[in-house]
Amino acid sequence: EFFRELLENAERSLNDMFVRTYGMLYMQNSEVFQDLFTELKRYYTGGNVNLEEMLNDFWARLLERMFQLINPQYHFTEDYLECVSKYTDQLKPFGDVPRKLKVQVTRAFIAARTFVQGLTVGREVANRVSKVSPTPGCIRALMKMLYCPYCRGLPTVKPCNNYCLNVMKGCLANQADLDTEWNLFIDAMLLVAERLEGPFNIESVMDPIDVKISEAIMNMQENSMQVSAKVFQGCGQPKPAPALRSSRSVPENFNTRFRPYNPEERPTTAAGTSLDRLVTDIKEKLKLSKKFWSTLPYTICKDERVTAGPSIEEDCWNGHTKARYLPEIMNDGLTNQINNPEVDVDITRPDTFIRQQIMALRVMTNKLKNAYNGNDVNFQDTSDETSGSGSGSGCTDDICPTEFDFVTTEAPPVDSDRREVEASATQPGWSLQTLLVVFISLVLQRQWR
């Protein structure tokens, strides 16, 4: 929403200042400038817009309009004006403004759009992973950890912290494998955030865009005679306009309209200078989310609503009785759960859905790296490894498509010796599944709030 408001304010600022400065000449040609902002908005919201080509077209169209205004004594056909536009790069009628603005706008918009898309992808990966159903082995382990103390007559005794860790590491083994790609994604997001704070800050580029375009128009006016002479030489001598039009005093008419402006008259945008604060706040949240998936079991198990806490090692439920939990804590990730004493984990069958989220993060990380280097990112591409398409917008879920719309795969078939476990996942088991999802969702909300 911030970037959307920034574009709207920049367009409003240009319109207000140009109406006061150039009067009817601007109003008669305002669609050239309106189209510029329409295309910028379309790019930001994920449209298939080539920024460099779009900006080149803007300056070519502006040259055509300006050329007619500084030479009202001639009649120009469409073919002649097309010839005029071809001289934009050669003549540099607007000075060095188009080149500088092209670099600034492309870098700023690429960084802003990709950064917002990165936030969208990160949020959706986290939301999707938080809804992955626990395995039958996880449900059984959760039931033993949370419900069995009641059966043993120990309703007030909470699970031991280390016991909880082994249970959660087994339940979240696939999620922990997200960590490597997640950390690379966060690092890439922080890199692009630097672009939002540096010289290609979209706010510092868009805020004075009206001033820069007006400077370009002034350059065109000052060099009008040389530009016209070279165009006539290259495109031919145009035909005179009707007598009424050619009798006007051209330089006087033009100069009275296209006069220098007072920068102090320029309206202030509502966006202000809040981008730095916004980016700083997001960067802090991104840094806190590093190693999120590998530390998730620790985050859940230190919650006093779940366990007795790390400091209480004797008076806690160890899965069998009220005593110290002796087994060692497992390392993170799927392959390290082969000897997990609490959760039966099949390390040969990674969760397909979570692997898709890993791929989504990998694709987004590559796009972020390209954006950091100033290379445009096409969000309409569909990766071979994934399904769905996306946009570069910061839209809400009900308005815009997301980066990846994965189809949830069915759970792998359960071996015959595990049917008894699956059968036990009746209503109490599913309440445990809900509990696990709630735990993860609470943690996610704290990180992304």
Side-chain angles (χ1 to χ4, degrees):
E1 288 301 321
F2 175 85
F3 293 124
R4 234 181 259 279
E5 180 188 354
L6 187 64
L7 286 174
E8 292 172 358
N9 288 335
E11 182 177 15
R12 187 161 49 246
S13 175
L14 182 143
N15 183 71
D16 292 347
M17 191 267 278
F18 274 39
V19 166
R20 291 199 314 272
T21 303
Y22 305 129
M24 283 302 297
L25 287 181
Y26 165 72
M27 297 171 67
Q28 291 167 357
N29 299 277
S30 60
E31 76 276 5
V32 175
F33 303 91
Q34 291 169 359
D35 290 346
L36 169 66
F37 282 95
T38 297
E39 289 300 287
L40 288 174
K41 291 174 187 175
R42 193 161 74 87
Y43 172 85
Y44 175 73
T45 54
N48 187 18
V49 177
N50 185 306
L51 285 175
E52 290 195 10
E53 289 182 4
M54 183 270 292
L55 291 169
N56 289 339
D57 289 344
F58 165 73
W59 292 112
R61 289 181 65 194
L62 186 58
L63 175 60
E64 291 178 13
R65 299 296 179 93
M66 290 284 298
F67 194 76
Q68 290 176 283
L69 291 172
I70 63 177
N71 293 288
Q73 68 272 36
Y74 296 108
H75 171 71
F76 299 103
T77 63
E78 289 297 323
D79 290 340
Y80 195 96
L81 291 175
E82 187 175 344
C83 178
V84 172
S85 67
K86 293 178 181 178
Y87 280 82
T88 308
D89 292 335
Q90 180 182 340
L91 297 177
K92 298 192 185 314
F94 300 111
D96 206 31
V97 174
R99 183 191 65 80
K100 290 181 178 178
L101 201 59
K102 182 193 295 185
V103 172
Q104 293 171 339
V105 168
T106 53
R107 285 292 187 96
F109 272 77
I110 288 170
R113 184 174 81 159
T114 310
F115 187 77
V116 171
Q117 183 62 23
L119 290 175
T120 302
V121 170
R123 179 196 64 194
E124 295 191 353
V125 165
N127 285 339
R128 286 168 179 156
V129 173
S130 73
K131 296 172 184 175
V132 172
S133 299
T135 64
C138 172
I139 293 174
R140 182 173 61 182
L142 282 171
M143 179 179 290
K144 180 181 177 183
M145 183 178 80
L146 296 175
Y147 285 85
C148 285
Y150 292 88
C151 303
R152 296 296 178 88
L154 302 170
T156 61
V157 179
K158 293 182 179 180
C160 298
N161 184 73
N162 290 353
Y163 173 37
C164 173
L165 285 175
N166 273 344
V167 171
M168 299 314 299
K169 287 197 176 201
C171 286
L172 301 173
N174 282 283
Q175 285 86 338
D177 284 345
L178 276 164
D179 218 45
T180 299
E181 204 61 51
W182 178 267
N183 292 338
L184 292 173
F185 163 73
I186 296 298
D187 287 339
M189 285 288 290
L190 292 171
L191 277 177
V192 176
E194 292 179 9
R195 291 287 185 244
L196 299 180
E197 296 176 313
F200 300 115
N201 174 336
I202 191 172
E203 188 174 36
S204 64
V205 169
M206 291 306 298
D207 200 34
I209 195 170
D210 49 359
V211 175
K212 294 174 182 178
I213 293 176
S214 188
E215 288 175 358
I217 292 174
M218 292 298 119
N219 286 330
M220 174 70 180
Q221 178 186 359
E222 293 170 2
N223 300 313
S224 59
M225 294 185 65
Q226 298 94 315
V227 170
S228 298
K230 290 182 180 179
V231 170
F232 294 159
Q233 183 179 0
C235 298
Q237 191 69 22
K239 295 180 180 180
L244 178 62
R245 192 174 172 194
S246 61
S247 63
R248 294 177 183 171
S249 174
V250 178
E252 290 180 9
N253 179 54
F254 184 82
N255 288 329
T256 54
R257 291 292 188 181
F258 285 79
R259 60 181 174 81
Y261 59 90
N262 182 359
E264 294 180 359
E265 296 177 359
R266 205 169 133 269
T268 303
T269 60
T273 56
S274 58
L275 182 61
D276 288 340
R277 178 188 55 78
L278 184 65
V279 173
T280 299
D281 184 53
I282 293 175
K283 282 173 64 179
E284 290 304 311
K285 286 183 170 59
L286 288 172
K287 290 175 183 177
L288 289 173
S289 70
K290 285 200 70 174
K291 297 185 178 181
F292 173 80
W293 301 104
S294 60
T295 59
L296 189 54
Y298 297 89
T299 305
I300 293 174
C301 292
K302 73 179 181 182
D303 193 317
E304 61 183 11
R305 293 171 295 180
V306 181
T307 69
S311 61
I312 303 176
E313 298 182 1
E314 302 292 343
D315 298 330
C316 56
W317 171 251
N318 66 5
H320 303 282
T321 186
K322 179 182 177 182
R324 178 187 291 268
Y325 182 75
L326 298 177
E328 65 175 344
I329 301 173
M330 297 293 100
N331 290 325
D332 303 319
L334 183 64
T335 58
N336 290 314
Q337 306 311 310
I338 187 169
N339 294 317
N340 191 309
E342 309 304 335
V343 185
D344 191 12
V345 181
D346 185 353
I347 68 169
T348 66
R349 307 180 76 167
D351 186 281
T352 305
F353 184 74
I354 289 180
R355 300 296 142 174
Q356 289 176 329
Q357 308 312 307
I358 291 174
M359 182 58 65
L361 289 172
R362 187 171 299 157
V363 171
M364 190 65 232
T365 299
N366 288 333
K367 291 180 178 181
L368 288 163
K369 289 178 179 178
N370 281 328
Y372 176 75
N373 293 323
N375 300 321
D376 206 351
V377 178
N378 185 0
F379 286 102
Q380 302 302 322
D381 288 343
T382 301
S383 174
D384 293 337
E385 297 86 0
T386 59
S387 61
S389 62
S391 72
S393 71
C395 310
T396 56
D397 291 338
D398 15 348
I399 298 176
C400 299
T402 56
E403 172 69 357
F404 297 97
D405 291 323
F406 294 117
V407 179
T408 306
T409 55
E410 294 183 1
V414 181
D415 297 336
S416 57
D417 60 342
R418 295 176 67 182
R419 287 176 183 165
E420 183 180 348
V421 175
E422 191 175 50
S424 68
T426 53
Q427 187 61 37
W430 288 118
S431 68
L432 287 167
Q433 172 186 343
T434 304
L435 184 61
L436 178 61
V437 171
V438 168
F439 285 160
I440 300 175
S441 298
L442 285 171
V443 178
L444 290 171
Q445 288 171 12
R446 291 173 189 164
Q447 292 288 351
W448 292 92
R449 186 171 296 158

